[in-house]
Amino acid sequence: MGAAGLAVAGTAAGTAAASTRSPARRTAGTLAVDTLPDPAPVDLKQGGGKTYHSSPGDTPSFYVSDFDGLKNALEQAGDGDIIRVRDDAQIDMTGAENTLSIASGVILSGGRGNNGSLGGLIYTTRDRNPQADVPLPMFQTRGDRVRFTGLRIQGPRLANYWDPEGNVGDPADHEEYKHYLIGGIHFLGDNCRVDNCQMYGFTHAAISVGARNYPVSARVDHSSIHNNPMEHFGYGVNLYNGESVIEWNYFDYNRHSIAGFGYESNGYTARYNLVGPHPISHAFDMHGLSQNNGSGEVAGGTINIHHNTFQFTHDVHPDTRPQEAVAIRGIPADRCDINENWFYHDSKPVEVNKQGNAYRQENEKWMHMWASGNHFGRGEPAAGIGHPR
């Protein structure tokens, strides 16, 4: 379950068609939609907010508070320009998803964490995708060094868990799911970044990186990424291709907080993240390429998972079975290292492919997998294990 989900999404390397309907115009300061509170702990670096002190610059080139202002600014902005979304902005992208281009080097910024600000809100209420099978992101960028910082970016489904097929089985075609693939940001340019953002409500993925012929890098850090809930999909960070760094984030209520597609050129470093107590499935993932219309046993290239804390041992999915924190669904072409993490699970895994352990590999024996220095159980570990405390 879930392997087919990423396989469907992984074929979408091009631009998804969006409706030409104009988005509803909202007045800044007028509540347009329901939102979710930020669940990230306010006193930790994980998740950003008031603890985050990295500014993209003090002299924005543009200030925007509505859709027309954002559209005009993006049409004019070039390398090095900062577009500042005002703290009281509520920008409705419904009907205009994936229609705005972002040039290389442009920074889209907000004030999240500054003097108590939640950050400007950019959202969509579209819950059905007009082009089934091809995920529809709010923003798809082909420019390099694009950055989103200090913003709230909200999708259409503010749920803890959602199954459009009603959890009635696992049909091979997943027909219903194909109509609900709505995403947040999809990077197809290199060296892009999301930091200090709250991202939630997406049925496909809050953030996607790369595609079949686009092995690009990205950094996702100091963000609160939660409530991306749909069965079979529901990714916090979805890594199609390339190598990325995922660090200092707070994750919760995602089906997979990090998902990998499985190419040999597909890998990631996940470090200093805090995963909350409400999983839907395993938190950190690497699919086997054979599960996504490929062949062989390869499951990614190089994966490095260290100094994270996983605050769960069971599943909030209706099956309520014990749930592993990390699942590598094949054999990494290079290696997977799982070191100095704090797992609330009771013990170190011994069996290679047993669900419910702290980590598992879908294989007959451990291959290209190494683990050391991890702590198991709810008791406080030694300093230097898990996320900094």
Side-chain angles (χ1 to χ4, degrees):
M1 184 172 63
L6 193 59
V8 172
T11 61
T15 301
S19 169
T20 57
R21 180 176 70 83
S22 297
R25 303 295 189 248
R26 305 291 185 180
T27 302
T30 301
L31 183 61
V33 292
D34 292 333
T35 60
L36 285 180
D38 190 344
V42 296
D43 56 344
L44 296 178
K45 292 181 180 180
Q46 283 77 11
K50 76 173 187 178
T51 64
Y52 189 73
H53 302 290
S54 178
S55 170
D58 298 325
T59 56
S61 307
F62 307 88
Y63 287 90
V64 302
S65 58
D66 56 23
F67 176 82
D68 289 335
L70 176 61
K71 180 176 182 292
N72 292 336
L74 286 172
E75 288 173 349
Q76 299 177 59
D79 201 334
D81 282 333
I82 300 169
I83 301 173
R84 179 62 178 256
V85 178
R86 296 186 185 277
D87 287 354
D88 63 349
Q90 296 167 17
I91 298 177
D92 189 350
M93 292 282 293
T94 306
E97 299 88 349
N98 200 17
T99 62
L100 303 181
S101 297
I102 306 177
S104 291
V106 169
I107 298 172
L108 191 59
S109 76
R112 180 174 181 253
N114 294 338
N115 298 317
S117 172
L118 300 177
L121 175 67
I122 304 175
Y123 70 93
T124 178
T125 59
R126 180 199 289 275
D127 66 351
R128 283 186 69 89
N129 185 343
Q131 187 173 345
D133 271 356
V134 180
L136 176 62
M138 290 173 67
F139 299 94
Q140 186 180 84
T141 73
R142 295 180 181 271
D144 299 333
R145 295 173 287 102
V146 170
R147 179 181 175 188
F148 290 77
T149 182
L151 295 165
R152 286 179 294 160
I153 303 177
Q154 175 176 308
R157 289 277 170 180
L158 309 186
N160 293 338
Y161 173 79
W162 182 61
D163 185 347
E165 292 179 346
N167 194 40
V168 294
D170 191 17
D173 59 0
H174 307 299
E175 187 60 36
E176 281 301 307
Y177 300 95
K178 297 176 183 179
H179 299 284
Y180 294 98
L181 299 176
I182 307 296
I185 300 166
H186 189 175
F187 290 127
L188 291 173
D190 200 31
N191 196 25
C192 294
R193 184 179 183 189
V194 174
D195 62 303
N196 193 31
C197 288
Q198 182 190 1
M199 300 192 66
Y200 56 96
F202 294 100
T203 48
H204 178 241
I207 302 164
S208 293
V209 180
R212 178 170 296 164
N213 297 313
Y214 294 84
V216 298
S217 66
R219 181 184 177 195
V220 179
D221 64 287
H222 297 88
S223 292
S224 179
I225 303 172
H226 61 95
N227 289 85
N228 298 291
M230 191 170 73
E231 184 58 66
H232 292 291
F233 296 90
Y235 308 128
V237 183
N238 173 36
L239 303 172
Y240 285 130
N241 208 349
E243 297 186 353
S244 295
V245 175
I246 317 298
E247 61 183 356
W248 295 101
N249 300 290
Y250 179 77
F251 295 109
D252 204 12
Y253 279 118
N254 304 304
R255 185 170 156 274
H256 297 324
S257 291
I258 302 174
F261 191 82
Y263 295 116
E264 290 189 23
S265 53
N266 183 199
Y268 60 86
T269 293
R271 60 193 180 195
Y272 309 120
N273 300 290
L274 173 60
V275 182
H278 307 105
I280 296 173
S281 182
H282 54 270
F284 292 0
D285 163 90
M286 179 59 75
H287 278 66
L289 190 57
S290 62
Q291 297 168 314
N292 291 319
N293 301 321
S295 61
E297 297 179 304
V298 66
T302 304
I303 307 154
N304 193 359
I305 298 169
H306 68 90
H307 294 96
N308 305 281
T309 293
F310 300 88
Q311 293 182 312
F312 65 86
T313 60
H314 65 277
D315 200 339
V316 296
H317 179 281
D319 291 343
T320 61
R321 64 172 176 81
Q323 182 60 63
E324 59 272 17
V326 177
I328 307 300
R329 306 199 211 182
I331 303 172
D334 180 25
R335 61 187 295 140
C336 174
D337 291 281
I338 303 174
N339 301 325
E340 282 84 44
N341 300 284
W342 179 5
F343 297 98
Y344 276 31
H345 297 72
D346 289 335
S347 60
K348 177 180 179 179
V350 177
E351 297 179 64
V352 67
N353 193 16
K354 182 179 180 181
Q355 291 185 324
N357 282 340
Y359 49 86
R360 70 181 173 95
Q361 181 179 24
E362 290 188 7
N363 197 37
E364 295 181 356
K365 60 181 179 179
W366 300 107
M367 291 187 66
H368 297 189
M369 293 274 293
W370 287 266
S372 66
N374 298 294
H375 178 82
F376 302 91
R378 295 174 182 267
E380 187 85 1
I385 298 177
H387 69 82
R389 295 177 299 287

